[in-house]
Amino acid sequence: AISLVASYMWYETPELFQINSFSYSYNSSGIIISLKPSYHYNSNEYSQMLNAFKKNADKLLDGIKGNSNLTDVEKALLIHDRIAVWCEYDNERLNNGTMPQASYSAYGVLVNKFAVCMGYALAYDYLLFQVGIDSEYCSSDLLNHAWNIVHVNNSTYHVDVTWDDPLPDKSGYVKHTNFLRSTNGIVETKHISEDGYVDYNTSPTDTTFDSYYWQNSNTAFQLIGDDIYYIDNEASALKRIHNGTIITCKTVSDTWKSSSSSYWVGNFACLSSDGEKLFYSLSTAVYEYDPEANTTKTVFTPDLSSGSYY
């Protein structure tokens, strides 16, 4: 019973990030008569932290929460991407033993913008709940790792935001390899021990999204109004999703040189937004795209002199 209460507090209510541990006592009949939590922060500290927590949650849910024109899949996708762009994996402090407790919590993601997998999973769970999507905390002792199982379209799917956030961090870069995967699909992304075992919830079996269009994108999806924009890095195109239909807006083909005589294979355009216009980067400039007018202009040209070009 105690473990169930603790599990609920830690993994099902991410906003209770102030809880540290539980103490308890029994009576002579073996019945629990006292269960008391201990806390990381006092009530005043927690109140201030919770306000910042909710304020930033609202920022990440801007345009998503209450938007009935978005499907649950689209909401889950946008939140996945916004967390990955917003937060950085707390790798350096994890390795040198100085990582704060907050990095294990949703607070670490939403306020500090540094966290490890547990924090990513708890923050994703909290934000999904705010838009009416159920999810579960999923963990593996063999992998020493945690992620989510998300409920959409009457099915369950694995989503691992942590593994879709690059390490080391790259601004604007988001993978979608681990978004809405079946168990077989998530195993393909190395969610399996070196000995070939899995020790986590394997109930997700629907393969609908295992090879979906978002896997061709290595940058964040952006919401403007009710339409979603993204860069298809495989097709070298900026695309729009309107009422479920994918429309190509413009070509974003380019070559990223690695030296004067060689180049990287692939498309590395990234996408950002200020809520009204889109900004995408190619190898020699950053461009602004106005979706309403369907126009493009150069807004930034970096110094590509010798020594910094490649």
Side-chain angles (χ1 to χ4, degrees):
I2 295 170
S3 62
L4 288 175
V5 171
S7 178
Y8 178 79
M9 292 293 186
W10 284 322
Y11 303 125
E12 301 298 329
T13 52
E15 64 271 31
L16 299 182
F17 50 83
Q18 86 278 29
I19 294 177
N20 178 29
S21 61
F22 292 90
S23 61
Y24 55 91
S25 60
Y26 296 92
N27 62 17
S28 58
S29 300
I31 298 174
I32 298 174
I33 58 173
S34 174
L35 180 64
K36 296 181 179 179
S38 65
Y39 303 100
H40 293 290
Y41 319 105
N42 64 40
S43 59
N44 288 333
E45 290 172 332
Y46 174 63
S47 178
Q48 294 176 9
M49 294 171 74
L50 185 61
N51 287 336
F53 178 88
K54 291 183 176 180
K55 181 179 179 180
N56 284 355
D58 288 341
K59 287 182 182 179
L60 288 176
L61 295 176
D62 183 42
I64 301 174
K65 188 175 182 179
N67 190 337
S68 60
N69 292 311
L70 297 175
T71 67
D72 282 350
V73 168
E74 291 171 338
K75 291 176 181 179
L77 174 61
L78 289 166
I79 294 172
H80 164 281
D81 285 13
R82 289 183 180 185
I83 289 176
V85 170
W86 179 270
C87 185
E88 181 177 343
Y89 190 82
D90 205 352
N91 193 55
E92 182 177 348
R93 292 190 294 182
L94 175 65
N95 289 335
N96 65 26
T98 63
M99 191 177 70
Q101 180 278 332
S103 289
Y104 291 102
S105 71
Y107 182 89
V109 172
L110 296 182
V111 181
N112 295 343
K113 299 185 180 182
F114 280 97
V116 290
C117 59
M118 183 176 181
Y120 277 77
L122 292 173
Y124 194 46
D125 178 79
Y126 177 80
L127 294 176
L128 288 175
F129 181 78
Q130 301 308 305
V131 299
I133 299 175
D134 290 333
S135 73
E136 306 167 28
Y137 184 86
C138 182
S139 64
S140 165
D141 291 334
L142 290 173
L143 297 174
N144 190 28
H145 188 49
W147 60 95
N148 301 82
I149 291 178
V150 177
H151 298 243
V152 291
N153 297 351
N154 298 314
S155 293
T156 56
Y157 305 91
H158 294 277
V159 178
D160 191 341
V161 183
T162 309
W163 280 18
D164 281 344
D165 193 7
L167 183 67
D169 196 67
K170 299 178 183 177
S171 182
Y173 187 82
V174 182
K175 295 188 295 182
H176 299 88
T177 312
N178 299 284
F179 179 70
L180 295 189
R181 301 301 298 265
S182 67
T183 296
N184 287 340
I186 207 74
V187 165
E188 289 177 0
T189 70
K190 308 303 181 184
H191 286 69
I192 189 170
S193 73
E194 293 182 358
D195 298 327
Y197 294 102
V198 296
D199 62 340
Y200 51 82
N201 186 340
T202 59
S203 61
T205 58
D206 191 310
T207 61
T208 298
F209 302 114
D210 275 354
S211 300
Y212 226 54
Y213 67 87
W214 45 64
Q215 291 193 29
N216 293 332
S217 179
N218 293 320
T219 189
F221 283 58
Q222 303 293 334
L223 177 66
I224 296 183
D226 294 329
D227 289 346
I228 298 174
Y229 295 81
Y230 72 101
I231 288 180
D232 185 330
N233 294 99
E234 291 291 325
S236 297
L238 172 63
K239 296 184 176 182
R240 174 168 66 113
I241 305 172
H242 178 72
N243 293 333
T245 300
I246 298 176
I247 303 164
T248 297
C249 299
K250 69 179 288 78
T251 298
V252 290
S253 181
D254 204 352
T255 299
W256 281 260
K257 290 188 175 182
S258 56
S259 72
S260 60
S261 59
S262 61
Y263 58 89
W264 298 105
V265 176
N267 182 289
F268 303 96
C270 281
L271 186 66
S272 186
S273 171
D274 64 0
E276 295 181 358
K277 294 181 175 64
L278 295 163
F279 302 87
Y280 64 90
S281 58
L282 297 183
S283 67
T284 59
V286 176
Y287 302 88
E288 176 190 286
Y289 175 73
D290 186 337
E292 190 71 25
N294 192 31
T295 57
T296 303
K297 67 178 182 180
T298 303
V299 292
F300 177 71
T301 302
D303 175 14
L304 299 178
S305 59
S306 178
S308 61
Y309 185 77
Y310 305 115

